[in-house]
Amino acid sequence: MFILNNYDTVPLYKQLYRQIREQVLSGKLPAHAKLPSVRDLAAELSTSRNTVEGAYQELYAEGYIYSRQRSGYFVSALDHDVVPQPPSREPRRQARPPQPNLPTYRYNFHPARLDPSSFPAALWRTCFLECLRECSAELSHYGDPQGDWGLRSNIQQYLERSRGVLCEPDQIVICAGLQQGLEILAHLLQDSHSSVAVEDPGYHLPRSVFRNNSFHVVPVAVGPSGMDLEQLRTGDSTIAYVTPSHQLPMGYVMPIANRLNLIDWAQSGGNLIIEDDYDSELRYHGKPIPSLQGLRPDGNIVYMGTFSKILSPALRLSYMVLPRSLLAPFHANYDDYFSTVSLLEQKTMAKFMEQGCWERHVRRMRIIYKRKHDALLQAVEHYFSNKVTVVGQGAGLHVVLQLHEENAGETEILRRAAHKGINLFPFSATCATGGSVSTILLLGFGGMNAAEIEQGIKLLSELCF
Amino acid sequence: MFILNNYDTVPLYKQLYRQIREQVLSGKLPAHAKLPSVRDLAAELSTSRNTVEGAYQELYAEGYIYSRQRSGYFVSALDHDVVPQPPSREPRRQARPPQPNLPTYRYNFHPARLDPSSFPAALWRTCFLECLRECSAELSHYGDPQGDWGLRSNIQQYLERSRGVLCEPDQIVICAGLQQGLEILAHLLQDSHSSVAVEDPGYHLPRSVFRNNSFHVVPVAVGPSGMDLEQLRTGDSTIAYVTPSHQLPMGYVMPIANRLNLIDWAQSGGNLIIEDDYDSELRYHGKPIPSLQGLRPDGNIVYMGTFSKILSPALRLSYMVLPRSLLAPFHANYDDYFSTVSLLEQKTMAKFMEQGCWERHVRRMRIIYKRKHDALLQAVEHYFSNKVTVVGQGAGLHVVLQLHEENAGETEILRRAAHKGINLFPFSATCATGGSVSTILLLGFGGMNAAEIEQGIKLLSELCF
C-alpha cells in the first residue's frame, strides 16, 4: 500500500505522510476509513513506530485524519469536488535572472539621481554600529508608531535652525518617503476633504497617491509666483499641495506676498496647505528660502521634508510636521498602526544628526552639487547658446530648459537621446493637463560628474533641433 | 532706521535682513517704497556693502522686495490684512523629555514581545557591513518599488522549502509590515471589492486598515476549524482575511477539509483569500503546518508573511505573495510608488538569508520559545490547575486561557494585574462583536524568561478569581 525508500533524501515519516495525504485527497482512502494502528503499519512497512507516529501526527495536525479515543485514526471527510489538482511538483524552472534594472545610460539626466559616490558610508557605519550596540534589546518589540523620539527631536531642532519651521517633536511623524506620508494624510483628511489642488506642471507622484485615495485632483496653473491663487480660490479644492520654496519642476520661489495670500486662503476658509519642502537645502546662491510653515506655525499647514535628496533616496526616510489640529485625528487613526520605518535606521539617522554629521553633509553636498549645477549651465550656455531659456537655476538637482526655435518635439528628442545613451525624464509627465506649449527639457545633474554633464549636453544640443 | 550689533551671534546681513523684513511685513516700509542703494545704506550703517548686498539678495529671493533695472530695489506690495502675527520668538520651552514609553512591567504578557536578548546582532552587523561596502553607490537612486530582487529570490526559496508556498519572485512584494501590505492590497481591491470578512475573535489591527480604506468589515465567527464557512458563504463579503495555520488569537489550525472549502469559495465565486501566516514557523511539536497557498498556488490567494515575529518587529520587514491575477493591477497602481523599505535593510536581510543565518535563527528561536512555552504551560498547570482550559498551545508566542469558574472578569483582572506589575493584553480587543461569553486571558510569553513566566503566572492565578 505504501512504499518507503531508505535512499531517498526525504525523511521516511515524510514519505509516508505524503503518500497517505495523496490517498486522502484523491479519495483512494475513503472518508471515515480506519487507518492501521501505528504498530501494525510499522510492522507491515518494516519501519520504526516513530516513522508511522510522525506521519500520523502531521496528518492529524493538518486535519487529514481524525482520532477517536481508543479506536485509532480515521480518514477525514473531504469534499472531493473541491480538491485542486495537486500542485505540479516538477523541478522548478531555473530561478530567473534578476529583472533588468533600468537600462544603464551613459548620461543620466533623471532628476532623482544623487551623486553616486557621496553617501557618507563611513560615518553612517559608525553611527549604525553604535546604535546596534545600544538598542539591540529594543529590537524585540514594536517602536513608537509616530517614530523614534530622539530622531523627532533632532529633526525639530534642525528644521527650526535651518528651515525656519517652528514645531514641537510631538507634531513630527517619521515616514518612509513622501508618498507614505501622503497616504497617512489622505486617510486623515478623507472624511472632511475630497478635492486637492496640485501644481501644473508639478510633481506627478503625489497625484497618484491622492487619486488612489479617491480624492479629486485639480491641476492649478503655476507661474513664476507659484500656484495661481485666483484659480485656486475659484475652484472647490480645500487642500493645496505646493512646493513653494523650489517649485517642482520649474524651480520658482513663491514670493512672500503670495505666501501670505495662500496662508490666508487656508486660514479663512478652513483649508489646508501641504508644503512639500523636498530639496530646498540645496540653494547655490544666497541662503535657502525659509519655509512657508514658519510664517504661520499655528496655521493649517502640513510641512513635509525628506532625507532622500541629500542623503539617499534608497534609505526611505522622510518626515512630516502636522498642525496641532491634525494630531488628534492622527492618534485616533494611527495609534493602531506600527511605524513603517526601521528603528535601527531611525536611531542611526538620529545619531548622525546629533553628532553634526547631517549639517556637515548638507554643506558638503551643496558644494558638490553647485559644481555640477554650474557645469551644466556652462555647457548649456556653450552648446545651446541662444536657442534655449534656462529656468529654475540656482537650486536643487535639476534645471529646466525651454527650447526656443523649431525643435524636434519631446517624443522625438527622448527617442534620439535614448539612442545616444542619454536618459531624459519627460517633462510632459509633470503636466497634468495636456502638454506644454513649448518643448521643455528637465535636466537632472545629480548623478553625473562635470565631464559627463558637459558631454551629455553637447550630445543633447546636437539632437534637439 | 536699522541697528546692527557687531557683538550679536547673528550675522550682520541677517540682522539687517530681519529688520527690513519686519518693516515690510508691518507696513512701516510701504509698498513700492524705494530702498536706499547698497552703497548709501552701507555708508549710513558703517558696514560693508557685502552686508547690505547679502540682506537685499535674501529679501529679493523671497519676494519682500523687487528690483527695477538701473533703479534699484523697491518694497513689494503685500496684503497687510493677511500678515500673520510674527511667530513668537520667545526662547523655546525646554525640549520635553522623551514621551514615556509603555510603563515597564515586571511581567509583560503582551503577545507581541520577542526574546529581548535574541536579536542576532553580530551576524546582522556582518551582513550589514558587507552590504554597505557593496551597494553604497546604489544608495544614490531609488530601488525597485516591489523590493530588492535578491531578497525576493531568497524569500521565494525559503517559502517553498519551509512553508510549501509556490510562487516566483516576481509575485513577491517587500513591505514595511502587515499593515502596509494591507494598505497596498486595499488600494488594489477597492474598485472590485467592498466588504471583507475577518475572524472573530481575530487580529484587531487589520480591521483598522480595511476600515480606513472604506471597506465594510464583517466579523465571522471562528471555531476550532477556523472561520465559519457557512457564515462566510451566506454573507456578502468577497474577501476573507484568515490566519489558517495558527489562528490569531485562538491558535486553532484550519483543517484540510475547511481549507479546501475555503479555496473553493474563493475560486468558484471570484473571491479572494488573504492568508496571514504571521508566525507559523514557531510550532513546537511536529512540523509547521504547510500554507494554504500551497494547496492552490494558482488560486485567488494572497499570502502574507513577516520577519517581525522571529527576527524583530522593529525592523519593519515583511512580504506578500500576490496571485498572478493581481500583478497587473499592482504594477498599474504601484510602479509610480517607491518602496517603503530601506534598500540597505533589504540587502542585509537577503544576505542573512543567503548565508543560511535566517533558517538557523528560526531553529534557534523555536528552541528558545519552546522552553518558554513549556514553562508557561507548566506554571499554568501548577497554579491554575483545573480552573482553566488552555487553548492554542504548541505554537507561536502566546497561548489562551479560558477561565472556568466564577472569576473577576477581564476589566478587573487587568486592573489588578497592572497593580501587581503585570501587563496583560485584553482579549476583548480581538473580539469584533461584543465580548466573549467567558473570560479569556491572552498570554504572550516571548519577552520573559522562564522564572519571570512562572512568577507572573503565580501572581496571576492569585488575582483572577
Side-chain angles (χ1 to χ4, degrees), chain A residues 13 58 62 92 139 160 179 183 187 190 212 256 287 312 314 316 333 336-339 342 345, chain B residues 13 58 62 92 139 160 179 183 187 190 212 256 287 312 314 316 336-339 342-343 345:
Chain A
Y13 90 90
E58 293 302 299
E62 297 176 36
R92 276 192 65 248
L139 295 175
E160 180 167 339
Q179 291 166 316
E183 287 278 348
H187 284 325
Q190 64 191 358
N212 278 344
I256 182 69
K287 299 281 165 191
S312 161
R316 317 310 300 127
N333 276 272
D336 253 9
Y337 277 63
F338 299 118
S339 173
S342 160
E345 203 149 87
Chain B
Y13 90 90
E58 293 301 300
E62 297 175 34
R92 278 190 64 250
L139 295 175
E160 178 166 341
Q179 291 165 315
E183 286 278 348
H187 283 326
Q190 66 192 357
N212 278 343
I256 182 69
K287 299 285 164 188
S312 161
R316 314 313 298 128
D336 253 10
Y337 277 64
F338 299 118
S339 173
S342 160
L343 186 70
E345 202 150 87

Side-chain angles (χ1 to χ4, degrees), chain B residues 183-223:
Chain B
E183 286 278 348
I184 292 175
L185 277 183
H187 283 326
L188 299 187
L189 301 171
Q190 66 192 357
D191 288 339
S192 40
H193 299 263
S194 59
S195 173
V196 53
V198 299
E199 296 168 331
D200 184 24
Y203 192 24
H204 56 302
L205 298 185
R207 293 178 207 149
S208 314
V209 180
F210 292 123
R211 279 205 203 92
N212 278 343
N213 285 284
S214 310
F215 278 82
H216 186 211
V217 174
V218 181
V220 173
V222 156

